[in-house]
Amino acid sequence: MNTAPKIGLVDDEPEILKALRRLLSMEGFQIREYNSANDFIQSDDVQHLDCLVLDVSMPGLDGLELQARLKRAGMKVPIVFLTGTGDIPTSVRAVKAGAVNFLTKPFDADHLLAAIRDGLAEYASLKAEEQELGAKRSRLDRLTPREREVLGHVISGKLNKQIASSLGISEQTVKVHRMRITEKMGVSSVAELVRAAERLGVSPASN
């Protein structure tokens, strides 16, 4: 099974696609080519790509519009833009919207490869974070309703006796719940627990 990163190339100029394919294939990347943004959308390949090299100016749907569509759909594939114009306002807009880099044609091979590798590193980090968050969410789902209730009070900064009073249980019971919560969540401190709860969208108890 080929585990080399998959790079998508979207450009309406056949010569540019050919040059990109030759360069990136020599670097060991898997390549998928598209002659337009619409072809790319219809392929439904974005979920299989590790980076996208995208032309800005194309007939029909342009590169920036495709970027916006992917962003609205929650697709986080890193994008390296290529443009023949070198339009500064456009490049600023693209980068602000999350593009890894914005290069002008004719592209410099070293600069393009560096930009792609930056994008791949960013994507790998993002996927690792998402996997970690998914693992934490699975841990959170293992908490009982009472443990979730205690968690809300713990992250609000309450002491055990205050939690016990709010929930009508003993301090010892609160301590047992806290111990089970930290074990199930895989954390060793309240600070870690608070950070994990915040990332998972758990709200502190209001009273």
Side-chain angles (χ1 to χ4, degrees):
M1 182 178 178
N2 191 346
T3 58
K6 299 179 183 67
I7 312 298
L9 310 175
V10 186
D11 202 301
D12 64 316
E13 298 181 60
E15 289 303 312
I16 294 293
L17 281 178
K18 182 179 179 181
L20 288 169
R21 180 177 66 249
R22 184 185 302 118
L23 171 66
L24 300 181
S25 295
M26 288 175 61
E27 294 295 319
F29 295 121
Q30 298 184 68
I31 307 301
R32 297 189 181 182
E33 300 176 41
Y34 313 89
N35 296 311
S36 69
N38 285 324
D39 284 349
F40 175 73
I41 290 173
Q42 291 171 10
S43 75
D44 197 31
D45 279 345
V46 63
Q47 60 187 326
H48 305 297
L49 296 177
D50 299 298
C51 187
L52 189 61
V53 179
L54 180 58
D55 187 24
V56 173
S57 301
M58 293 180 286
L61 192 69
D62 68 24
L64 291 177
E65 291 169 331
L66 176 56
Q67 179 191 33
R69 284 197 184 190
L70 293 175
K71 189 172 183 178
R72 286 196 297 271
M75 302 297 184
K76 299 177 182 179
V77 61
I79 295 174
V80 176
F81 274 108
L82 295 180
T83 178
T85 61
D87 180 16
I88 292 177
T90 301
S91 65
V92 170
R93 177 182 162 195
V95 172
K96 281 186 174 181
V100 175
N101 212 325
F102 194 97
L103 306 175
T104 56
K105 300 176 184 177
F107 60 86
D108 177 89
D110 289 337
H111 289 169
L112 177 61
L113 290 172
I116 289 173
R117 290 188 178 111
D118 286 345
L120 292 174
E122 177 183 299
Y123 196 42
S125 176
L126 179 63
K127 287 196 288 187
E129 287 180 10
E130 289 179 343
Q131 288 173 353
E132 181 187 354
L133 189 61
K136 281 186 168 59
R137 186 167 287 111
S138 295
R139 288 176 177 273
L140 180 67
D141 290 341
R142 291 167 52 198
L143 299 185
T144 66
R146 176 61 93 182
E147 288 166 352
R148 285 289 294 263
E149 200 172 10
V150 171
L151 173 61
H153 286 281
V154 171
I155 64 175
S156 70
K158 289 182 180 178
L159 301 174
N160 287 346
K161 63 180 180 180
Q162 294 173 315
I163 298 173
S165 176
S166 295
L167 299 180
I169 57 179
S170 69
E171 275 192 65
Q172 184 58 38
T173 300
V174 172
K175 290 178 182 178
V176 171
H177 283 312
R178 289 186 66 148
M179 180 185 68
R180 289 176 178 166
I181 290 167
T182 55
E183 286 177 352
K184 289 182 179 181
M185 292 298 294
V187 298
S188 58
S189 69
V190 174
E192 281 186 69
L193 189 60
V194 170
R195 285 194 294 269
E198 184 178 356
R199 290 190 65 196
L200 292 166
V202 178
S203 300
S206 57
N207 53 43

